[in-house]
Amino acid sequence: MSNYINTRNARIHITNEGRGDVALVFLHYWGGSARTWHHVTKGLAGLTNCIGIDLRGWGKSEALDGRYDLGAMAEDVTEVISALGLKRIILVGHSMGGKVAQIVATGLAATAKALILIAPSPATGMHVPAEIRAQMLASYQSAEGVAQALTILAHRPLSETDRTMVFEDTLAGADGAKREWTETGMIASLQEDISAITMPVRILVGDEDKVERVEDLRRIYAELLPHAEWDVLSNTGHLSPLENPEAIIIACQNQLTQLTTIT
């Protein structure tokens, strides 16, 4: 089911599949949309409620105030969760969405019961030279650029349907959303103290990920979230929701089981 929720400063498109007392809230990568998770939600909708959110400037969501920064995205997510009346959630964030999820988790300790980070953009910021970030932005402006970006983002070949979806979502993104991430969002260190997160955390990253490398994330999160559990996904690049959705489904199922056992 597709729906729109008006936050204070945006019109946010969401998808809603399944039902259950615990909701999985999915936040996508830079260039994606709620559609990025379609393999994952298909495998989980029979177990619980799956909420996919188009972050502002992506998919069908619109920023009404012209803001595309991390704080604005996190505010939208928090307001959507409140508007839907969700009381128990598991946040699942991929790459940029993982960075947003970390912000949301710091402010929703009573509601967010677990945090699953898929190749998350780190809270410390990514140390990427300005010229590389400019090249990233340029690649999102044309089909040829997206094709080149996919050679870095994906390790496994994507189905023709998924490739088409990636091209559509990437090219349709708002100019401000594309620019904000490369100029500010990806290099920003979070102001929020994520080391205060005490909920269960699981981090998944592909062993062939060229964007968020396993060794770098392990080093960073060993200090920030030392209680986090890890899954290194074999033969998987950065687009794990499309390349290896089964691993994400299993991680979500395990977390749902743990919550059910605890409560």
Side-chain angles (χ1 to χ4, degrees), residues 52-198:
I53 298 179
D54 288 347
L55 297 171
R56 56 168 59 203
W58 298 103
K60 299 177 182 178
S61 290
E62 300 176 86
L64 304 180
D65 57 0
R67 287 179 59 194
Y68 299 99
D69 56 277
L70 291 164
M73 288 190 283
E75 289 168 8
D76 290 336
V77 173
T78 301
E79 289 185 49
V80 166
I81 290 168
S82 176
L84 292 174
L86 304 179
K87 303 301 182 185
R88 302 172 70 215
I89 68 169
I90 297 173
L91 285 166
V92 187
H94 175 216
S95 195
M96 178 185 75
K99 197 165 188 177
V100 175
Q102 291 169 76
I103 299 173
V104 175
T106 63
L108 286 182
T111 304
K113 301 303 180 181
L115 179 61
I116 299 176
L117 300 174
I118 316 295
S121 184
T124 55
M126 298 172 67
H127 304 295
V128 180
E131 60 270 21
I132 300 298
R133 290 185 279 117
Q135 292 172 16
M136 292 172 61
L137 177 60
S139 73
Y140 272 35
Q141 309 306 318
S142 68
E144 294 78 13
V146 176
Q148 177 59 36
L150 265 177
T151 66
I152 298 171
L153 292 172
H155 177 68
R156 300 187 190 184
L158 304 183
S159 71
E160 192 58 37
T161 299
D162 284 347
R163 280 183 62 86
T164 299
M165 180 187 70
V166 168
F167 275 73
E168 290 175 349
D169 284 347
T170 303
L171 295 174
D175 290 341
K178 295 177 183 180
R179 186 175 300 278
E180 173 67 28
W181 178 247
T182 55
E183 293 185 352
T184 304
M186 68 185 299
I187 61 175
S189 294
L190 297 184
Q191 297 179 353
E192 292 77 10
D193 180 14
I194 71 159
S195 64
I197 293 174
T198 58

Side-chain angles (χ1 to χ4, degrees), residues 187-219:
I187 61 175
S189 294
L190 297 184
Q191 297 179 353
E192 292 77 10
D193 180 14
I194 71 159
S195 64
I197 293 174
T198 58
M199 67 189 68
V201 178
R202 181 168 291 276
I203 300 174
L204 288 73
V205 59
D207 61 354
E208 299 290 346
D209 194 323
K210 299 176 183 176
V211 179
E212 301 297 351
R213 299 183 184 277
V214 176
E215 59 272 19
D216 294 334
L217 290 182
R218 279 195 182 276
R219 174 177 49 80

